[in-house]
Amino acid sequence: ILESNQPEYPKSLESGPTGMFQFSNVKKSFDYQLSAVSNADLDKGISTLDIVLIQRHILGVQPFNNPYMVFAGDIDANEKINSLDLVSLRKVILGTVTEFPNQQRSWKFIPASLSFTDPNHPWPMSEKMLYPNFQQNRNNQNFVAVKIGD
């Protein structure tokens, strides 16, 4: 999704199977925000092993070693991983719910250029790339896709 304060925005498009995308005719000298969203395949890739891994993280037995694992384990989008995340994930595995709590989408798209001061507590984090006073075309504006719960 490409957002701007211009009347014809926001603009959105669906990427192909490789995740490639291109917005054309982007006017210069305006401010833009780029983001990606998907709420597809809620239970894709999720298993009881994910519950075990989150439990190990919570207990400190085997903490997650990168921020993307932390984002994936925050099922209820409250910027922490605890037993409520386990309860929510179990409901998805059992098929008793069709969405994650707190309007959490099934995927997060994090700008690949983002660096984290503390990989075990990577918040706050923006899922948008900002282009103030856009002046030139940009290539390789990449996101890291994180499947929530997996």
Side-chain angles (χ1 to χ4, degrees):
I1 300 172
L2 188 61
E3 299 173 84
S4 180
N5 62 354
Q6 301 167 68
E8 64 270 25
Y9 284 82
K11 292 183 178 183
S12 62
L13 53 85
E14 190 168 324
S15 67
T18 62
M20 300 288 288
F21 63 92
Q22 179 179 342
F23 287 96
S24 23
N25 301 319
V26 177
K27 296 177 192 172
K28 293 181 179 178
S29 302
F30 285 94
D31 297 342
Y32 295 92
Q33 295 181 24
L34 179 65
S35 60
V37 296
S38 176
N39 202 25
D41 304 320
L42 179 76
D43 59 353
K44 183 176 185 167
I46 296 174
S47 71
T48 54
L49 175 60
D50 297 307
I51 290 176
V52 171
L53 294 174
I54 293 172
Q55 284 174 326
R56 288 179 171 192
H57 173 79
I58 292 169
L59 295 171
V61 173
Q62 187 179 7
F64 295 146
N65 60 9
N66 73 60
Y68 305 112
M69 293 174 78
V70 174
F71 292 129
D74 181 21
I75 309 303
D76 61 6
N78 67 351
E79 297 186 357
K80 54 188 164 193
I81 300 175
N82 57 33
S83 59
L84 296 176
D85 294 301
L86 293 171
V87 170
S88 297
L89 192 56
R90 279 188 188 106
K91 289 178 181 179
V92 170
I93 291 170
L94 294 172
T96 60
V97 297
T98 58
E99 59 186 32
F100 290 125
N102 300 328
Q103 299 177 343
Q104 169 84 292
R105 291 189 180 106
S106 57
W107 292 87
K108 275 193 183 301
F109 294 89
I110 301 158
S113 60
L114 193 60
S115 61
F116 303 96
T117 305
D118 181 355
N120 292 312
H121 191 71
W123 301 281
M125 178 272 305
S126 174
E127 293 182 60
K128 295 184 179 192
M129 293 184 208
L130 305 177
Y131 305 96
N133 192 27
F134 180 78
Q135 293 298 318
Q136 65 186 33
N137 292 340
R138 306 281 177 106
N139 294 318
N140 300 317
Q141 302 301 288
N142 299 315
F143 290 94
V144 175
V146 176
K147 175 64 181 79
I148 303 303
D150 187 13

